[in-house]
Amino acid sequence: SGRASSVDWRVKLTIPQNSPLMEYFFNTAVKGNTAYDILGPLKEMGGIFWPLTPSMIIQHSANYNAMAFVHSNYPHQAYQNSQVDQMNIIGEFPVQNQQDARHWVATIHFLRAVTKMFFGKDPEFKGSPPPILHLSAYGEHMFHKVPVVVNTFNVELRAGIDYISTKQDTVYNDKFSGPKPKNIHQDFTNPNAIDPTWAPTLSNISVLITPIYSRESMRDFSMKDFVQGKLNGKGSNEVGFI
């Protein structure tokens, strides 16, 4: 109540909007007469989100070195540095129908992809580390396009949970012509579809992330602007300092 419907304050991890990786991740790939669109459900968002409000564990540290003096009851604390420690996001992911199941499969596949470097026979981005994502959640002055990398993710597949089948690749031999498909749509009942995948009706997905800032962005840091809240909102040139 009272929230603007146009404001998306959910916890989400997304590919930066102007990044060439948007097309790399979300462009439908065609091989022979089959179109591979496994990340298609995430294209509009540009990444993943937790459908239910997750738990977030956040820690900021200011590190000091204790300097011991002779004949002194107390050490002298010399400041060393500050840092934003790793953050853990833990949330449930419910699946109620085949569309939800397709989204769940895409979410798991996205997390698998962003924890791998660009390696192998593809020439694009070859040798590059895993991509940097943007963390956004709860409005501008909480988390707004905070650059992060994914360290680990965990998926809990619980016992005693039902599974719902879905089919990710949904363009068939008679659905398109030419090098790229034109009309991608979901058809769960088509007998010519590829083998289905099963998603649990309820699972737990946790992601451990680390904020990461480039040297260029840190040169533009201003303590005065940070205190006034200018570096964690829309005016921060897409670098959300926290």
Side-chain angles (χ1 to χ4, degrees), residues 168-209:
Q168 299 299 116
D169 303 340
T170 57
V171 182
Y172 314 109
N173 295 346
D174 59 342
K175 297 294 183 181
F176 68 92
S177 61
K180 290 186 178 181
K182 295 180 180 180
N183 299 315
I184 299 176
H185 64 279
Q186 186 74 19
D187 185 1
F188 298 107
T189 61
N190 192 316
N192 297 320
I194 65 169
D195 294 336
T197 304
W198 280 265
T201 53
L202 186 63
S203 61
N204 202 66
I205 299 178
S206 61
V207 179
L208 184 66
I209 58 176

Side-chain angles (χ1 to χ4, degrees), residues 13-28 39 42-47 110 118 125 131 133-134:
L13 293 171
T14 58
I15 299 290
Q17 293 180 355
N18 297 324
S19 171
L21 293 179
M22 284 291 289
E23 183 177 357
Y24 189 92
F25 271 70
F26 303 113
N27 187 33
T28 302
L39 294 179
L42 309 179
K43 185 174 183 179
E44 183 178 358
M45 174 71 67
F110 180 85
F118 294 85
F125 310 109
L133 307 178
H134 278 167

Side-chain angles (χ1 to χ4, degrees), residues 27-237:
N27 187 33
T28 302
V30 179
K31 187 175 183 180
N33 286 325
T34 304
Y36 294 86
D37 193 39
I38 189 169
L39 294 179
L42 309 179
K43 185 174 183 179
E44 183 178 358
M45 174 71 67
I48 66 171
F49 68 92
W50 276 261
L52 300 181
T53 304
S55 300
M56 295 185 67
I57 301 174
I58 306 162
Q59 179 174 319
H60 295 244
S61 300
N63 301 313
Y64 293 81
N65 283 332
M67 302 178 63
F69 293 96
V70 178
H71 297 289
S72 175
N73 289 324
Y74 303 100
H76 177 71
Q77 300 292 335
Y79 173 76
Q80 183 180 6
N81 61 5
S82 297
Q83 68 182 49
V84 181
D85 298 323
Q86 292 179 322
M87 296 183 287
N88 204 356
I89 306 174
I90 307 169
E92 289 186 329
F93 202 110
V95 172
Q96 297 181 338
N97 51 51
Q98 290 179 317
Q99 292 288 354
D100 289 350
R102 187 170 182 245
H103 193 98
W104 184 91
V105 173
T107 298
I108 300 303
H109 194 70
F110 180 85
L111 290 172
R112 289 172 176 172
V114 298
T115 49
K116 292 177 174 61
M117 69 170 292
F118 294 85
F119 172 82
K121 63 181 182 180
D122 293 334
E124 288 185 278
F125 310 109
K126 191 171 184 177
S128 298
I132 295 175
L133 307 178
H134 278 167
L135 167 68
S136 297
Y138 306 129
E140 294 181 21
H141 296 290
M142 278 296 291
F143 304 102
H144 180 75
K145 295 183 178 179
V146 179
V148 298
V149 290
V150 177
N151 298 103
T152 61
F153 76 93
N154 295 283
V155 182
E156 181 188 6
L157 301 178
R158 304 175 184 175
I161 294 295
D162 292 332
Y163 280 72
I164 296 178
S165 65
T166 185
K167 296 170 183 176
Q168 299 299 116
D169 303 340
T170 57
V171 182
Y172 314 109
N173 295 346
D174 59 342
K175 297 294 183 181
F176 68 92
S177 61
K180 290 186 178 181
K182 295 180 180 180
N183 299 315
I184 299 176
H185 64 279
Q186 186 74 19
D187 185 1
F188 298 107
T189 61
N190 192 316
N192 297 320
I194 65 169
D195 294 336
T197 304
W198 280 265
T201 53
L202 186 63
S203 61
N204 202 66
I205 299 178
S206 61
V207 179
L208 184 66
I209 58 176
T210 300
I212 182 169
Y213 298 98
S214 66
R215 293 183 179 181
E216 181 180 0
S217 63
M218 286 191 289
R219 282 199 298 264
D220 295 332
F221 181 87
S222 166
M223 185 61 177
K224 182 177 181 180
D225 289 343
F226 181 81
V227 170
Q228 294 177 348
K230 297 179 180 179
L231 297 184
N232 51 8
K234 292 182 179 180
S236 58
N237 194 25

